[in-house]
Amino acid sequence: MLQTRERPKPVVLPAYCKGCGRCVSACPQHCITLGTEINPESGLIPVEIDLEKCNGCGLCFAACPEPYGLTAYDPLMDLDESYLKFPDEDSSTAPVPQEISGETLPLPPVEPLMIKGTYAAAIGALLAGCRHFFGYPITPSTEGAELMAKLLPNLNGVFVQAVSEVATVNMMYGCGGAGMPCMTFTSSPGFSLMLEGVSYMIGAEVPGVFINIMRGGPGLGNIGPEQADIKLACRGLGHGNTHAIVLTPDSPQEMLDLTMLAFELTFKYRNPVVLLGDGYLGQITGKVKLPERMIKPGIPSWGVYGDDMHRRNLICSIQLSEPDLEIHNLHLNEKYQRIIESEQRADCFHCDDADTLIIAANTPARMAKGAVQVLRDRGVKAGLFRPITLWPFPIDILAPLLPKLRQIVIVEASNGQLEDELRLALSHAEIIDVPPISHVRHFGGVLPQQQEIIDRVLETIDTEVTS
Amino acid sequence: MSVFYRNFERHAHGAGLKGHATHYCPGCGHGIAHNFIGEAIEELEIQDRTIAISPVGCSVFLYYYLDVGNTQAAHGRAPAVAIGHKVANPNSIVISYQGDGDLASIGLAEIIQSAQLGIPITVIFVNNAIYGMTGGQLAPTTLMGMKTATSPQGRSRMMGEPLRMAEMIAQMEGPVYVERVALYDNKQRNRAKKAIKKAIQLQKENRGFAFVEVLSECPTHLKMNTAEAQNWVKEQMVPVFPLGVKKDITVEPWFEMQAPDFNPQKLVDQIGAVSDAAPKFAGGQFPAHLHPEDIALKLAGAGGDGAQTAAMLIAQAAVNEGFDGTHIPSYGPESRGGTSYADVHVARSEVLSPAAANPHILIAFNAPSLNKFGPQVKPGGIVLYDSSVVSEPPALDPEVKLYGIPFAQIAVDLGSMLVKNIVALGALQAASKLFPPETFLEAVRRALQHKCAMIPLNEAAFEWGQKAVMHLGDMPE
Ligand code: SF4
Ligand code: SF4
Ligand code: SF4
């Protein structure tokens, strides 16, 4: 007969009992004994319970590691049924997640600012709705972080100086996973340290903006301006099938504009975005116009925000089953393809009639722009093609310019990392008819200078003329 | 049990037994810790607010089970991820669940930092003295002499002593509550359940960081049955990892964060943008006598000479007049006391190349700078140098106009060496007619708007710099 006491008594659901015996030693009334029969479903030997002496003390429940190993006895329950049946098929009791949408707000009209590149990027982040910054100080990116440290508390934002770049990227993983726009400033060696976390963010589809003010390498290198991390950002974002949009500004104005764009894109694609500057660009002061509108972010439907509306969500990069992980990678590939089709950006300076095309990004593009102007003054049909996205490389914008060209000169502050991106893009686009490619390269913090770019262009033209 | 998913869909798509059984080995302590967390969440009525951080290790799949917000973290980084979540939504209840390899080995830096930060999060540290998921290797908490896959002869002195995390965390300032509990009998389980609930409640009450170390059984890698494993924890682990409260201080609720501010006017004020345009004095006239489109200047001296400030003021003056201006400082260690130089461009419409390798104008504050950059000045260019420190200027291109002005001496005579850069700016104006004097003075005044008392001295410095150039003919060279 059933007792009328409220305290529940245990029933073992044989298939879910692993026969560990923890409940056996837990029961002071010796109600539970190790079983003898193998359960055909689990292949394990569940315990047996005799409720005769049971006083409902509950100690067996507390001892059982299985959430559904022991269940409270209910007179209506079918004891022969080894599976739990729930009235509703849904595994979670949480509501279906909804997006809480953001807003754009008009900004009062103001005069242009005279600010350095790192400050412009920090201000761009604030305008894009970022109120969460995580970072570790590293020259030459620190001034951006310092400005965030100064301004964020006044805007009820959060600045956390992490114990390392490794911790930084994982704080971003948490904050971005919650659906909040967040960012860091770093520089080459720090960026290397973040890459594991970037791979996790890409795998788990977590947004976040990385501003990498690149410096000379390898190793500790120096703090001079180098485009040292093009390869890392375009080809090496941690382990696995990883890509992220890589933006390359060339002025303080673009540091602001592209940082704002980075926040838009990182949420649009649920993928980190990398903004590559160089040491010079971080330091250069220039005129910066503020936009007409700023962003007040909402909470995306997928965020693990910590409220009822988002309780059902999961941020996770592990897919244990091989077919599942393949499906996930195909999903990422589809996203990468959409990015390649929609997000190529470049700036063309005197490209329309150019027969000599200089290709450069970041500060070297400024030197190249000066060179193009001088060459034009001398009657050389030079143009500058400046990728604003390095991944995806703006090959669709470049391709129509190629037939008119007699030469391409790649100008970069790295050992051919930009040229590699160009050549890969040409190859993937199956463009075979390419004019001769030469280059001006410097590294270690030395930047290509306007005059040597001019000299290289003229040298090639002279060789052509004489031969 | 309501805090557990009704069907473990994420466990192999919830098919068959996996829909209701955990992935843990029989007798593993993890499931008990999960149950206690689930019960605490239920009793504290925080299911909707809770975010559980799954680690890497056997408990990597914590997110299969608890029906709360879930994030799976990289190995060891769960506390950093937890901080990210907590500051993203201070109202969330964040529980970082970690094993011994995760927390006490690869994630040491993260757990130490988050404990010391003291932001209310709850860390449940399951210590079973061995690596489970990777197959029974040496853990930082493996006992001395204990044989594991990577200490087949037993843990020796060469592998270091086991790490006592609860004690380490308890001696820090940040945490409010640290306890070590176990799961091997009814009494210990009762304590463990209470400790876990308390650690979460302290977070709910915004009191601080709480840490519970749970001594747990890994029967599989101990190669024991559950009863033997329970006994092993009691007999072998507890002497090395004493149970009990390690820290429990009463702290009033302190953690509070306001909702982020998105007021546009406030943001504009914070970044220092102003709506009133600086007045123009040049009447739209670009100083084409120096170059029709783009004028390059270099300012060079020692750190502290004020070259960067003067450079900034020139670029600002250009922008105020409606032109483009850029300034690049030398930076890095050399800017902390060594040489300091700045490249400035003033362009009619757009500065193309911002470097000034061959400037039209050089301002040199000392002899090394003059010697280094003087020869690079374009023919027909202007060189201004501090004649109070340079006695013998080098021979430069005869087409370069050379002005020796005692910047420092004038500044000292005015009462402050600090304004020698403004003296130089006055001299630059008089020598080059780059912009009208008022353009520079306005830029100086705006830069000093929060230090108004300094304005008269700076104005005087500028004026004396101008005069020094105008009366250069009268001065003995
Ligand atoms: S409730 Fe108490 S008495 Fe009853 S079986 Fe469980 S442990 Fe034994
Ligand atoms: S404790 Fe749970 S899993 Fe272990 S034998 Fe008892 S009922 Fe089965
Ligand atoms: S290996 Fe050990 S810790 Fe891992 S699930 Fe099995 S018993 Fe638990």
Side-chain angles (χ1 to χ4, degrees):
Chain A
M1 264 318 285
L2 282 173
Q3 298 189 358
T4 49
R5 295 175 63 170
E6 298 245 329
R7 296 207 293 189
K9 293 182 177 184
V11 172
V12 67
L13 296 167
Y16 306 137
C17 168
K18 288 181 174 160
C20 70
R22 280 188 183 260
C23 56
V24 174
S25 56
C27 177
Q29 304 294 328
H30 309 290
C31 302
I32 313 176
T33 46
L34 288 174
T36 48
E37 268 179 58
I38 295 179
N39 181 279
E41 287 170 276
S42 68
L44 298 169
I45 305 173
V47 290
E48 284 159 15
I49 305 183
D50 176 2
L51 292 180
E52 204 57 39
K53 285 178 282 170
C54 170
N55 60 13
C57 71
L59 291 170
C60 54
F61 288 104
C64 178
E66 284 299 309
Y68 294 110
L70 293 177
T71 189
Y73 179 76
D74 175 342
L76 300 177
M77 134 188 295
D78 178 358
L79 282 176
D80 293 334
E81 176 60 79
S82 56
Y83 289 92
L84 288 180
K85 288 275 185 270
F86 290 101
D88 148 1
E89 292 290 285
D90 199 346
S91 64
S92 172
T93 55
V96 175
Q98 304 278 326
E99 178 183 346
I100 298 168
S101 53
E103 293 170 61
T104 64
L105 304 170
L107 208 61
V110 289
E111 285 300 299
L113 300 166
M114 275 300 276
I115 45 175
K116 60 174 69 184
T118 45
Y119 287 0
I123 290 170
L126 295 174
L127 291 165
C130 172
R131 293 292 180 275
H132 293 90
F133 180 93
F134 307 93
Y136 187 85
I138 180 164
T139 309
S141 74
T142 35
E143 283 146 318
E146 285 165 12
L147 187 64
M148 291 302 254
K150 184 176 156 200
L151 298 184
L152 277 173
N154 302 337
L155 299 166
N156 297 341
V158 180
F159 177 93
V160 182
Q161 185 165 318
V163 67
S164 66
E165 282 88 354
V166 175
T168 296
V169 67
N170 284 285
M171 288 176 181
M172 291 175 71
Y173 180 85
C175 185
M180 292 292 103
C182 64
M183 72 167 316
T184 192
F185 276 99
T186 189
S187 179
S188 307
F191 189 61
S192 293
L193 272 175
M194 291 177 177
L195 291 176
E196 182 207 34
V198 171
S199 170
Y200 275 70
M201 287 175 79
I202 293 171
E205 306 198 78
V206 173
V209 172
F210 295 79
I211 298 190
N212 176 0
I213 308 294
M214 299 177 287
R215 62 187 240 186
L220 199 49
N222 64 23
I223 57 172
E226 186 175 312
Q227 293 172 295
D229 307 334
I230 291 175
K231 180 181 67 182
L232 271 190
C234 295
R235 303 287 146 197
L237 291 178
H239 50 284
N241 177 21
T242 56
H243 279 297
I245 295 174
V246 178
L247 300 168
T248 45
D250 81 334
S251 64
Q253 181 70 56
E254 275 196 355
M255 288 288 276
L256 183 140
D257 296 343
L258 295 185
T259 301
M260 290 192 75
L261 176 67
F263 277 96
E264 184 190 323
L265 296 175
T266 197
F267 276 87
K268 180 174 176 187
Y269 293 104
R270 273 191 73 179
N271 200 72
V273 173
V274 180
L275 186 142
L276 294 180
D278 56 66
Y280 239 52
L281 198 50
Q283 292 297 325
I284 183 173
T285 293
K287 186 162 79 172
V288 176
K289 289 201 186 95
L290 297 192
E292 287 172 7
R293 304 184 77 76
M294 62 170 272
I295 306 294
K296 177 183 180 186
I299 306 172
S301 60
W302 49 261
V304 177
Y305 186 68
D307 62 355
D308 59 338
M309 189 53 84
H310 299 87
R311 196 220 305 161
R312 201 180 275 266
N313 291 333
L314 167 68
I315 293 293
C316 179
S317 66
I318 183 171
Q319 299 273 354
L320 204 57
S321 112
E322 289 87 351
D324 287 354
L325 186 53
E326 182 166 52
I327 290 168
H328 181 57
N329 270 278
L330 291 171
H331 160 71
L332 292 178
N333 286 349
E334 181 272 328
K335 172 158 87 177
Y336 298 152
Q337 195 53 42
R338 263 189 297 137
I339 293 173
I340 289 169
E341 280 160 19
S342 338
E343 304 301 344
Q344 296 183 24
R345 287 173 170 79
D347 178 40
C348 297
F349 180 68
H350 291 315
C351 287
D352 287 347
D353 64 341
D355 59 15
T356 289
L357 196 64
I358 302 175
I359 299 181
N362 298 131
T363 298
R366 300 292 294 263
M367 316 314 188
K369 208 169 189 179
V372 166
Q373 193 58 59
V374 173
L375 287 163
R376 283 270 162 181
D377 291 347
R378 292 194 198 167
V380 177
K381 283 187 181 173
L384 170 67
F385 181 80
R386 180 170 69 86
I388 292 175
T389 52
L390 283 188
W391 195 92
F393 192 91
I395 189 71
D396 297 346
I397 310 173
L398 177 65
L401 305 174
L402 295 173
K404 284 189 279 257
L405 297 182
R406 287 160 61 200
Q407 64 163 327
I408 290 177
V409 179
I410 300 179
V411 176
E412 59 182 312
S414 98
N415 192 23
Q417 296 189 21
L418 176 62
E419 186 168 336
D420 285 350
E421 287 309 306
L422 169 72
R423 288 183 184 274
L424 262 172
L426 289 168
S427 166
H428 284 307
E430 294 178 22
I431 298 172
I432 297 147
D433 203 8
V434 180
I437 299 175
S438 63
H439 54 246
V440 178
R441 288 177 187 172
H442 280 287
F443 5 86
V446 179
L447 286 172
Q449 292 302 315
Q450 181 172 313
Q451 192 55 49
E452 58 184 329
I453 302 168
I454 296 167
D455 294 346
R456 171 59 44 84
V457 169
L458 294 176
E459 189 181 297
T460 320
I461 290 175
D462 290 349
T463 330
E464 261 181 49
V465 172
T466 38
S467 61
Chain B
M1 285 302 151
S2 71
V3 171
F4 284 82
Y5 289 117
R6 291 184 291 199
N7 182 45
F8 301 149
E9 251 174 29
R10 292 173 185 148
H11 188 189
H13 301 286
L17 282 185
K18 294 188 170 168
H20 292 98
T22 68
H23 70 289
Y24 295 114
C25 309
C28 175
H30 275 302
I32 303 177
H34 290 13
N35 283 341
F36 291 165
I37 292 170
E39 284 164 22
I41 291 170
E42 196 175 356
E43 287 165 25
L44 294 169
E45 300 180 338
I46 50 168
Q47 184 178 9
D48 283 337
R49 296 163 58 191
T50 300
I51 296 170
I53 316 291
S54 310
V56 168
C58 280
S59 49
V60 61
F61 300 121
L62 174 65
Y63 65 87
Y64 285 176
Y65 309 120
L66 290 177
D67 186 0
V68 296
N70 279 289
T71 292
Q72 197 290 317
H75 200 22
R77 317 299 169 214
V81 175
I83 296 229
H85 271 293
K86 189 70 182 180
V87 298
N89 176 11
N91 196 44
S92 59
I93 303 291
V94 188
I95 301 170
S96 174
Y97 188 100
Q98 301 178 260
D100 40 43
D102 197 80
L103 182 138
S105 185
I106 196 168
L108 273 171
E110 283 76 12
I111 187 61
I112 296 290
Q113 182 184 32
S114 45
Q116 188 64 346
L117 282 179
I119 292 173
I121 58 169
T122 305
V123 177
I124 308 299
F125 168 45
V126 177
N127 174 5
N128 55 21
I130 197 146
Y131 279 61
M133 193 189 221
T134 46
Q137 296 83 4
L138 181 89
T141 51
T142 292
L143 305 185
M144 294 309 286
M146 188 174 154
K147 289 181 178 167
T148 71
T150 49
S151 60
Q153 282 88 37
R155 184 171 192 159
S156 71
R157 194 66 193 73
M158 285 295 286
M159 301 164 195
E161 299 272 342
L163 204 52
R164 279 185 275 269
M165 288 308 299
E167 285 78 0
M168 192 189 285
I169 300 292
Q171 60 78 37
M172 298 167 71
E173 301 292 326
V176 293
Y177 171 60
V178 181
E179 183 168 356
R180 184 183 287 120
V181 295
L183 302 172
Y184 56 76
D185 65 20
N186 287 334
K187 190 170 137 199
Q188 301 312 327
R189 285 190 288 266
N190 191 31
R191 286 183 176 163
K193 178 172 149 63
K194 284 194 180 132
I196 288 173
K197 183 174 175 186
K198 178 172 177 173
I200 299 174
Q201 186 161 7
L202 286 165
Q203 178 179 181
K204 186 187 173 192
E205 293 169 1
N206 291 315
R207 291 177 199 270
F209 177 97
F211 183 96
V212 178
E213 176 171 340
V214 182
L215 301 187
S216 174
E217 294 80 12
C218 172
T220 301
H221 292 303
L222 290 174
K223 302 186 178 70
M224 295 175 185
N225 67 29
T226 310
E228 289 163 350
Q230 286 178 317
N231 200 50
W232 184 85
V233 171
K234 182 179 173 182
E235 302 289 333
Q236 305 294 323
M237 273 190 93
V238 170
V240 180
F241 299 104
L243 301 178
V245 175
K246 308 292 170 181
K247 181 174 186 182
D248 188 5
I249 54 169
T250 308
V251 172
E252 289 309 307
W254 62 274
F255 179 72
E256 202 191 348
M257 283 169 58
Q258 304 294 317
D261 190 321
F262 294 101
N263 180 306
Q265 187 61 51
K266 173 123 185 240
L267 179 53
V268 160
D269 293 344
Q270 284 294 319
I271 61 186
V274 293
S275 53
D276 63 318
K280 292 183 168 55
F281 303 95
Q285 290 294 310
F286 188 75
H289 58 283
L290 298 166
H291 187 274
E293 292 295 329
D294 187 335
I295 300 149
L297 300 93
K298 194 181 279 287
L299 291 86
D305 279 342
Q308 302 304 338
T309 309
M312 187 63 217
L313 288 166
I314 298 166
Q316 179 74 59
V319 169
N320 289 353
E321 289 296 345
F323 305 116
D324 196 14
T326 57
H327 159 218
I328 308 177
S330 56
Y331 64 92
E334 64 188 44
S335 69
R336 295 168 181 89
T339 58
S340 170
Y341 58 90
D343 286 1
V344 176
H345 272 257
V346 170
R348 189 190 290 273
S349 56
E350 185 196 0
V351 174
L352 300 179
S353 174
N358 298 104
H360 299 98
I361 299 173
L362 169 70
I363 300 179
F365 288 91
N366 58 24
S369 301
L370 181 60
N371 294 335
K372 182 171 177 191
F373 298 115
Q376 295 167 12
V377 174
K378 278 197 198 304
I382 297 169
V383 173
L384 297 131
Y385 67 92
D386 190 347
S387 58
S388 31
V389 292
V390 182
S391 43
E392 290 259 332
L396 298 178
D397 187 301
E399 281 185 57
V400 166
K401 292 192 250 353
L402 194 60
Y403 296 86
I405 308 292
F407 305 148
Q409 190 56 54
I410 294 173
V412 169
D413 290 348
L414 286 168
S416 172
M417 182 68 136
L418 284 178
V419 293
K420 71 172 168 182
N421 58 342
I422 307 297
V423 175
L425 215 51
L428 166 74
Q429 194 284 326
S432 71
K433 305 288 187 297
L434 182 64
F435 296 116
E438 270 305 311
T439 307
F440 291 103
L441 286 166
E442 183 65 23
V444 170
R445 287 185 205 112
R446 285 189 169 233
L448 292 172
Q449 59 178 323
H450 300 298
K451 294 181 203 158
C452 291
M454 298 295 290
I455 291 175
L457 172 63
N458 280 270
E459 286 175 337
F462 186 86
E463 225 172 280
W464 279 99
Q466 284 180 284
K467 279 188 200 158
V469 169
M470 291 185 289
H471 299 298
L472 202 55
D474 313 339
M475 282 187 163
E477 269 282 338

